[in-house]
Amino acid sequence: MSEGVGAAAFSRRRQHELWMRRALAVAASGGADDVPVGAVVYGPDGVELAVGSNERELTGDPTAHAEILALRRAAAVLGEWRLDGCTLVVTLEPCTMCAGALVLARVSTVVFGAWEPKTGAVGSLWDVVRDRRLNHRPEVYAGVLEAECAELMRSFFRP
């Protein structure tokens, strides 16, 4: 591996960690009754387009997952549903609904923190985003700030 490739990977990892810290802040600022998941969509230029935190309890909407809300808001900012070149950063591995939505929205890159072995659809229980039968497969970076993201979840579910 050349030095340039290693430097690029290091730089990308640092960027993903910075973005994940933003997603963690979004998760922490969500409603007290909702599972603390934070999602941020960044444009192709790295500019933040939209954020979302879980709002299922707040709104009574079963689809109000952090990722869905962030994708909707990013599409509204861009004025179209295709999020080509965009990166979705989320503190928890997306479920099947969210994984399907980000594939259909043509998100280019998914960065997530903690693995979700019960409902995860980006490599844990299912792997929707890498299904070769689909016409779009985003690049995936898993386990970014995994310990911090997992602790946020553990803290919420502790009695």
PDB file of all heavy atoms in Angstrom, residues 2-32:
ATOM      1  N   SER A   2       0.579   2.166  -0.855  1.00  0.00           N
ATOM      2  CA  SER A   2       1.387   3.378  -0.946  1.00  0.00           C
ATOM      3  C   SER A   2       1.079   4.305   0.220  1.00  0.00           C
ATOM      4  O   SER A   2       0.036   4.220   0.863  1.00  0.00           O
ATOM      5  CB  SER A   2       1.111   4.091  -2.270  1.00  0.00           C
ATOM      6  OG  SER A   2      -0.144   4.717  -2.235  1.00  0.00           O
ATOM      7  N   GLU A   3       2.016   5.204   0.485  1.00  0.00           N
ATOM      8  CA  GLU A   3       1.845   6.153   1.579  1.00  0.00           C
ATOM      9  C   GLU A   3       0.624   7.036   1.368  1.00  0.00           C
ATOM     10  O   GLU A   3      -0.091   7.371   2.306  1.00  0.00           O
ATOM     11  CB  GLU A   3       3.108   7.001   1.679  1.00  0.00           C
ATOM     12  CG  GLU A   3       3.228   7.722   2.983  1.00  0.00           C
ATOM     13  CD  GLU A   3       4.576   8.386   3.126  1.00  0.00           C
ATOM     14  OE1 GLU A   3       5.601   7.709   2.962  1.00  0.00           O
ATOM     15  OE2 GLU A   3       4.590   9.599   3.385  1.00  0.00           O
ATOM     16  N   GLY A   4       0.354   7.419   0.112  1.00  0.00           N
ATOM     17  CA  GLY A   4      -0.801   8.265  -0.192  1.00  0.00           C
ATOM     18  C   GLY A   4      -2.117   7.597   0.141  1.00  0.00           C
ATOM     19  O   GLY A   4      -3.034   8.222   0.646  1.00  0.00           O
ATOM     20  N   VAL A   5      -2.209   6.285  -0.130  1.00  0.00           N
ATOM     21  CA  VAL A   5      -3.438   5.542   0.168  1.00  0.00           C
ATOM     22  C   VAL A   5      -3.660   5.483   1.678  1.00  0.00           C
ATOM     23  O   VAL A   5      -4.754   5.689   2.178  1.00  0.00           O
ATOM     24  CB  VAL A   5      -3.385   4.127  -0.454  1.00  0.00           C
ATOM     25  CG1 VAL A   5      -4.538   3.284   0.021  1.00  0.00           C
ATOM     26  CG2 VAL A   5      -3.369   4.223  -1.966  1.00  0.00           C
ATOM     27  N   GLY A   6      -2.588   5.227   2.440  1.00  0.00           N
ATOM     28  CA  GLY A   6      -2.694   5.182   3.893  1.00  0.00           C
ATOM     29  C   GLY A   6      -3.107   6.524   4.470  1.00  0.00           C
ATOM     30  O   GLY A   6      -3.928   6.600   5.378  1.00  0.00           O
ATOM     31  N   ALA A   7      -2.546   7.579   3.936  1.00  0.00           N
ATOM     32  CA  ALA A   7      -2.884   8.924   4.399  1.00  0.00           C
ATOM     33  C   ALA A   7      -4.335   9.263   4.080  1.00  0.00           C
ATOM     34  O   ALA A   7      -5.034   9.873   4.889  1.00  0.00           O
ATOM     35  CB  ALA A   7      -1.944   9.956   3.776  1.00  0.00           C
ATOM     36  N   ALA A   8      -4.790   8.846   2.908  1.00  0.00           N
ATOM     37  CA  ALA A   8      -6.181   9.111   2.518  1.00  0.00           C
ATOM     38  C   ALA A   8      -7.143   8.354   3.433  1.00  0.00           C
ATOM     39  O   ALA A   8      -8.160   8.907   3.866  1.00  0.00           O
ATOM     40  CB  ALA A   8      -6.416   8.722   1.066  1.00  0.00           C
ATOM     41  N   ALA A   9      -6.824   7.103   3.746  1.00  0.00           N
ATOM     42  CA  ALA A   9      -7.675   6.311   4.639  1.00  0.00           C
ATOM     43  C   ALA A   9      -7.702   6.913   6.034  1.00  0.00           C
ATOM     44  O   ALA A   9      -8.757   6.979   6.677  1.00  0.00           O
ATOM     45  CB  ALA A   9      -7.195   4.860   4.686  1.00  0.00           C
ATOM     46  N   PHE A  10      -6.556   7.379   6.510  1.00  0.00           N
ATOM     47  CA  PHE A  10      -6.484   8.020   7.825  1.00  0.00           C
ATOM     48  C   PHE A  10      -7.323   9.291   7.844  1.00  0.00           C
ATOM     49  O   PHE A  10      -8.087   9.538   8.778  1.00  0.00           O
ATOM     50  CB  PHE A  10      -5.032   8.334   8.185  1.00  0.00           C
ATOM     51  CG  PHE A  10      -4.887   9.033   9.503  1.00  0.00           C
ATOM     52  CD1 PHE A  10      -4.999   8.330  10.688  1.00  0.00           C
ATOM     53  CD2 PHE A  10      -4.653  10.401   9.558  1.00  0.00           C
ATOM     54  CE1 PHE A  10      -4.872   8.975  11.918  1.00  0.00           C
ATOM     55  CE2 PHE A  10      -4.530  11.056  10.772  1.00  0.00           C
ATOM     56  CZ  PHE A  10      -4.638  10.341  11.958  1.00  0.00           C
ATOM     57  N   SER A  11      -7.206  10.086   6.799  1.00  0.00           N
ATOM     58  CA  SER A  11      -7.970  11.324   6.689  1.00  0.00           C
ATOM     59  C   SER A  11      -9.474  11.038   6.646  1.00  0.00           C
ATOM     60  O   SER A  11     -10.263  11.729   7.292  1.00  0.00           O
ATOM     61  CB  SER A  11      -7.538  12.082   5.441  1.00  0.00           C
ATOM     62  OG  SER A  11      -8.304  13.241   5.284  1.00  0.00           O
ATOM     63  N   ARG A  12      -9.873  10.020   5.884  1.00  0.00           N
ATOM     64  CA  ARG A  12     -11.283   9.637   5.793  1.00  0.00           C
ATOM     65  C   ARG A  12     -11.793   9.180   7.158  1.00  0.00           C
ATOM     66  O   ARG A  12     -12.882   9.568   7.588  1.00  0.00           O
ATOM     67  CB  ARG A  12     -11.470   8.541   4.741  1.00  0.00           C
ATOM     68  CG  ARG A  12     -12.921   8.109   4.572  1.00  0.00           C
ATOM     69  CD  ARG A  12     -13.126   7.090   3.465  1.00  0.00           C
ATOM     70  NE  ARG A  12     -12.203   5.982   3.547  1.00  0.00           N
ATOM     71  CZ  ARG A  12     -11.292   5.677   2.623  1.00  0.00           C
ATOM     72  NH1 ARG A  12     -11.170   6.394   1.532  1.00  0.00           N
ATOM     73  NH2 ARG A  12     -10.492   4.644   2.773  1.00  0.00           N
ATOM     74  N   ARG A  13     -10.993   8.375   7.865  1.00  0.00           N
ATOM     75  CA  ARG A  13     -11.402   7.903   9.187  1.00  0.00           C
ATOM     76  C   ARG A  13     -11.587   9.073  10.142  1.00  0.00           C
ATOM     77  O   ARG A  13     -12.558   9.128  10.902  1.00  0.00           O
ATOM     78  CB  ARG A  13     -10.384   6.901   9.737  1.00  0.00           C
ATOM     79  CG  ARG A  13     -10.853   6.296  11.067  1.00  0.00           C
ATOM     80  CD  ARG A  13      -9.920   5.245  11.594  1.00  0.00           C
ATOM     81  NE  ARG A  13      -8.715   5.901  12.064  1.00  0.00           N
ATOM     82  CZ  ARG A  13      -7.497   5.420  11.932  1.00  0.00           C
ATOM     83  NH1 ARG A  13      -7.296   4.274  11.335  1.00  0.00           N
ATOM     84  NH2 ARG A  13      -6.456   6.088  12.393  1.00  0.00           N
ATOM     85  N   ARG A  14     -10.663  10.036  10.104  1.00  0.00           N
ATOM     86  CA  ARG A  14     -10.781  11.211  10.968  1.00  0.00           C
ATOM     87  C   ARG A  14     -12.049  12.010  10.643  1.00  0.00           C
ATOM     88  O   ARG A  14     -12.727  12.493  11.539  1.00  0.00           O
ATOM     89  CB  ARG A  14      -9.547  12.109  10.837  1.00  0.00           C
ATOM     90  CG  ARG A  14      -8.249  11.455  11.224  1.00  0.00           C
ATOM     91  CD  ARG A  14      -7.868  11.675  12.627  1.00  0.00           C
ATOM     92  NE  ARG A  14      -7.739  13.114  12.866  1.00  0.00           N
ATOM     93  CZ  ARG A  14      -7.584  13.627  14.052  1.00  0.00           C
ATOM     94  NH1 ARG A  14      -7.536  12.848  15.084  1.00  0.00           N
ATOM     95  NH2 ARG A  14      -7.478  14.911  14.218  1.00  0.00           N
ATOM     96  N   GLN A  15     -12.351  12.149   9.341  1.00  0.00           N
ATOM     97  CA  GLN A  15     -13.570  12.855   8.923  1.00  0.00           C
ATOM     98  C   GLN A  15     -14.807  12.122   9.426  1.00  0.00           C
ATOM     99  O   GLN A  15     -15.729  12.737   9.958  1.00  0.00           O
ATOM    100  CB  GLN A  15     -13.619  12.992   7.402  1.00  0.00           C
ATOM    101  CG  GLN A  15     -14.819  13.778   6.913  1.00  0.00           C
ATOM    102  CD  GLN A  15     -14.764  15.228   7.354  1.00  0.00           C
ATOM    103  OE1 GLN A  15     -13.893  15.969   6.933  1.00  0.00           O
ATOM    104  NE2 GLN A  15     -15.671  15.642   8.203  1.00  0.00           N
ATOM    105  N   HIS A  16     -14.816  10.806   9.296  1.00  0.00           N
ATOM    106  CA  HIS A  16     -15.959  10.016   9.759  1.00  0.00           C
ATOM    107  C   HIS A  16     -16.134  10.140  11.269  1.00  0.00           C
ATOM    108  O   HIS A  16     -17.265  10.223  11.759  1.00  0.00           O
ATOM    109  CB  HIS A  16     -15.799   8.552   9.359  1.00  0.00           C
ATOM    110  CG  HIS A  16     -15.944   8.323   7.886  1.00  0.00           C
ATOM    111  ND1 HIS A  16     -15.614   7.131   7.291  1.00  0.00           N
ATOM    112  CD2 HIS A  16     -16.380   9.123   6.885  1.00  0.00           C
ATOM    113  CE1 HIS A  16     -15.836   7.212   5.990  1.00  0.00           C
ATOM    114  NE2 HIS A  16     -16.305   8.416   5.724  1.00  0.00           N
ATOM    115  N   GLU A  17     -15.044  10.160  12.007  1.00  0.00           N
ATOM    116  CA  GLU A  17     -15.132  10.330  13.458  1.00  0.00           C
ATOM    117  C   GLU A  17     -15.688  11.703  13.824  1.00  0.00           C
ATOM    118  O   GLU A  17     -16.524  11.815  14.718  1.00  0.00           O
ATOM    119  CB  GLU A  17     -13.763  10.117  14.108  1.00  0.00           C
ATOM    120  CG  GLU A  17     -13.331   8.671  14.089  1.00  0.00           C
ATOM    121  CD  GLU A  17     -11.934   8.462  14.636  1.00  0.00           C
ATOM    122  OE1 GLU A  17     -11.255   9.455  15.001  1.00  0.00           O
ATOM    123  OE2 GLU A  17     -11.512   7.291  14.695  1.00  0.00           O
ATOM    124  N   LEU A  18     -15.260  12.720  13.128  1.00  0.00           N
ATOM    125  CA  LEU A  18     -15.775  14.073  13.356  1.00  0.00           C
ATOM    126  C   LEU A  18     -17.281  14.115  13.082  1.00  0.00           C
ATOM    127  O   LEU A  18     -18.064  14.649  13.887  1.00  0.00           O
ATOM    128  CB  LEU A  18     -15.037  15.069  12.467  1.00  0.00           C
ATOM    129  CG  LEU A  18     -15.469  16.523  12.566  1.00  0.00           C
ATOM    130  CD1 LEU A  18     -15.130  17.098  13.933  1.00  0.00           C
ATOM    131  CD2 LEU A  18     -14.788  17.342  11.478  1.00  0.00           C
ATOM    132  N   TRP A  19     -17.685  13.550  11.952  1.00  0.00           N
ATOM    133  CA  TRP A  19     -19.101  13.514  11.604  1.00  0.00           C
ATOM    134  C   TRP A  19     -19.901  12.682  12.606  1.00  0.00           C
ATOM    135  O   TRP A  19     -21.036  13.028  12.944  1.00  0.00           O
ATOM    136  CB  TRP A  19     -19.288  12.978  10.197  1.00  0.00           C
ATOM    137  CG  TRP A  19     -18.894  13.937   9.114  1.00  0.00           C
ATOM    138  CD1 TRP A  19     -18.591  15.260   9.234  1.00  0.00           C
ATOM    139  CD2 TRP A  19     -18.777  13.641   7.726  1.00  0.00           C
ATOM    140  NE1 TRP A  19     -18.299  15.804   8.004  1.00  0.00           N
ATOM    141  CE2 TRP A  19     -18.401  14.839   7.063  1.00  0.00           C
ATOM    142  CE3 TRP A  19     -18.950  12.483   6.967  1.00  0.00           C
ATOM    143  CZ2 TRP A  19     -18.208  14.903   5.681  1.00  0.00           C
ATOM    144  CZ3 TRP A  19     -18.747  12.546   5.596  1.00  0.00           C
ATOM    145  CH2 TRP A  19     -18.391  13.744   4.967  1.00  0.00           C
ATOM    146  N   MET A  20     -19.314  11.573  13.097  1.00  0.00           N
ATOM    147  CA  MET A  20     -20.023  10.734  14.071  1.00  0.00           C
ATOM    148  C   MET A  20     -20.207  11.470  15.382  1.00  0.00           C
ATOM    149  O   MET A  20     -21.235  11.325  16.044  1.00  0.00           O
ATOM    150  CB  MET A  20     -19.284   9.411  14.296  1.00  0.00           C
ATOM    151  CG  MET A  20     -20.067   8.437  15.166  1.00  0.00           C
ATOM    152  SD  MET A  20     -21.674   7.956  14.460  1.00  0.00           S
ATOM    153  CE  MET A  20     -21.126   6.902  13.116  1.00  0.00           C
ATOM    154  N   ARG A  21     -19.251  12.296  15.753  1.00  0.00           N
ATOM    155  CA  ARG A  21     -19.427  13.097  16.977  1.00  0.00           C
ATOM    156  C   ARG A  21     -20.628  14.032  16.831  1.00  0.00           C
ATOM    157  O   ARG A  21     -21.368  14.252  17.790  1.00  0.00           O
ATOM    158  CB  ARG A  21     -18.156  13.872  17.304  1.00  0.00           C
ATOM    159  CG  ARG A  21     -17.040  12.957  17.739  1.00  0.00           C
ATOM    160  CD  ARG A  21     -15.918  13.630  18.486  1.00  0.00           C
ATOM    161  NE  ARG A  21     -14.805  12.709  18.685  1.00  0.00           N
ATOM    162  CZ  ARG A  21     -14.813  11.665  19.512  1.00  0.00           C
ATOM    163  NH1 ARG A  21     -15.875  11.410  20.227  1.00  0.00           N
ATOM    164  NH2 ARG A  21     -13.754  10.880  19.621  1.00  0.00           N
ATOM    165  N   ARG A  22     -20.836  14.548  15.647  1.00  0.00           N
ATOM    166  CA  ARG A  22     -22.022  15.381  15.394  1.00  0.00           C
ATOM    167  C   ARG A  22     -23.286  14.544  15.531  1.00  0.00           C
ATOM    168  O   ARG A  22     -24.265  14.976  16.143  1.00  0.00           O
ATOM    169  CB  ARG A  22     -21.919  16.020  13.998  1.00  0.00           C
ATOM    170  CG  ARG A  22     -23.160  16.751  13.556  1.00  0.00           C
ATOM    171  CD  ARG A  22     -23.410  18.020  14.360  1.00  0.00           C
ATOM    172  NE  ARG A  22     -24.527  18.746  13.773  1.00  0.00           N
ATOM    173  CZ  ARG A  22     -25.592  19.151  14.458  1.00  0.00           C
ATOM    174  NH1 ARG A  22     -25.660  18.993  15.775  1.00  0.00           N
ATOM    175  NH2 ARG A  22     -26.574  19.779  13.839  1.00  0.00           N
ATOM    176  N   ALA A  23     -23.274  13.326  14.977  1.00  0.00           N
ATOM    177  CA  ALA A  23     -24.436  12.430  15.080  1.00  0.00           C
ATOM    178  C   ALA A  23     -24.710  12.065  16.542  1.00  0.00           C
ATOM    179  O   ALA A  23     -25.868  11.986  16.961  1.00  0.00           O
ATOM    180  CB  ALA A  23     -24.228  11.180  14.232  1.00  0.00           C
ATOM    181  N   LEU A  24     -23.660  11.856  17.320  1.00  0.00           N
ATOM    182  CA  LEU A  24     -23.835  11.574  18.747  1.00  0.00           C
ATOM    183  C   LEU A  24     -24.485  12.756  19.461  1.00  0.00           C
ATOM    184  O   LEU A  24     -25.357  12.565  20.319  1.00  0.00           O
ATOM    185  CB  LEU A  24     -22.487  11.243  19.396  1.00  0.00           C
ATOM    186  CG  LEU A  24     -21.986   9.823  19.186  1.00  0.00           C
ATOM    187  CD1 LEU A  24     -20.484   9.735  19.471  1.00  0.00           C
ATOM    188  CD2 LEU A  24     -22.771   8.842  20.044  1.00  0.00           C
ATOM    189  N   ALA A  25     -24.097  13.954  19.111  1.00  0.00           N
ATOM    190  CA  ALA A  25     -24.700  15.149  19.706  1.00  0.00           C
ATOM    191  C   ALA A  25     -26.174  15.251  19.336  1.00  0.00           C
ATOM    192  O   ALA A  25     -27.025  15.598  20.174  1.00  0.00           O
ATOM    193  CB  ALA A  25     -23.946  16.404  19.266  1.00  0.00           C
ATOM    194  N   VAL A  26     -26.504  14.922  18.092  1.00  0.00           N
ATOM    195  CA  VAL A  26     -27.905  14.942  17.651  1.00  0.00           C
ATOM    196  C   VAL A  26     -28.694  13.894  18.430  1.00  0.00           C
ATOM    197  O   VAL A  26     -29.805  14.158  18.899  1.00  0.00           O
ATOM    198  CB  VAL A  26     -28.003  14.704  16.124  1.00  0.00           C
ATOM    199  CG1 VAL A  26     -29.445  14.469  15.689  1.00  0.00           C
ATOM    200  CG2 VAL A  26     -27.394  15.877  15.366  1.00  0.00           C
ATOM    201  N   ALA A  27     -28.119  12.710  18.611  1.00  0.00           N
ATOM    202  CA  ALA A  27     -28.798  11.644  19.356  1.00  0.00           C
ATOM    203  C   ALA A  27     -29.052  12.073  20.798  1.00  0.00           C
ATOM    204  O   ALA A  27     -30.143  11.857  21.342  1.00  0.00           O
ATOM    205  CB  ALA A  27     -27.959  10.366  19.330  1.00  0.00           C
ATOM    206  N   ALA A  28     -28.064  12.683  21.416  1.00  0.00           N
ATOM    207  CA  ALA A  28     -28.180  13.102  22.814  1.00  0.00           C
ATOM    208  C   ALA A  28     -29.203  14.213  23.003  1.00  0.00           C
ATOM    209  O   ALA A  28     -29.777  14.356  24.083  1.00  0.00           O
ATOM    210  CB  ALA A  28     -26.811  13.552  23.330  1.00  0.00           C
ATOM    211  N   SER A  29     -29.469  14.982  21.950  1.00  0.00           N
ATOM    212  CA  SER A  29     -30.410  16.094  22.069  1.00  0.00           C
ATOM    213  C   SER A  29     -31.849  15.694  21.751  1.00  0.00           C
ATOM    214  O   SER A  29     -32.744  16.525  21.834  1.00  0.00           O
ATOM    215  CB  SER A  29     -29.987  17.246  21.148  1.00  0.00           C
ATOM    216  OG  SER A  29     -30.164  16.876  19.793  1.00  0.00           O
ATOM    217  N   GLY A  30     -32.063  14.432  21.419  1.00  0.00           N
ATOM    218  CA  GLY A  30     -33.412  13.964  21.080  1.00  0.00           C
ATOM    219  C   GLY A  30     -34.302  13.875  22.307  1.00  0.00           C
ATOM    220  O   GLY A  30     -33.873  14.135  23.435  1.00  0.00           O
ATOM    221  N   GLY A  31     -35.544  13.503  22.083  1.00  0.00           N
ATOM    222  CA  GLY A  31     -36.515  13.388  23.163  1.00  0.00           C
ATOM    223  C   GLY A  31     -36.130  12.312  24.165  1.00  0.00           C
ATOM    224  O   GLY A  31     -35.546  11.293  23.814  1.00  0.00           O
ATOM    225  N   ALA A  32     -36.454  12.541  25.431  1.00  0.00           N
ATOM    226  CA  ALA A  32     -36.087  11.620  26.507  1.00  0.00           C
ATOM    227  C   ALA A  32     -36.743  10.255  26.373  1.00  0.00           C
ATOM    228  O   ALA A  32     -36.213   9.262  26.856  1.00  0.00           O
ATOM    229  CB  ALA A  32     -36.443  12.247  27.850  1.00  0.00           C
TER     230      ALA A  32
END
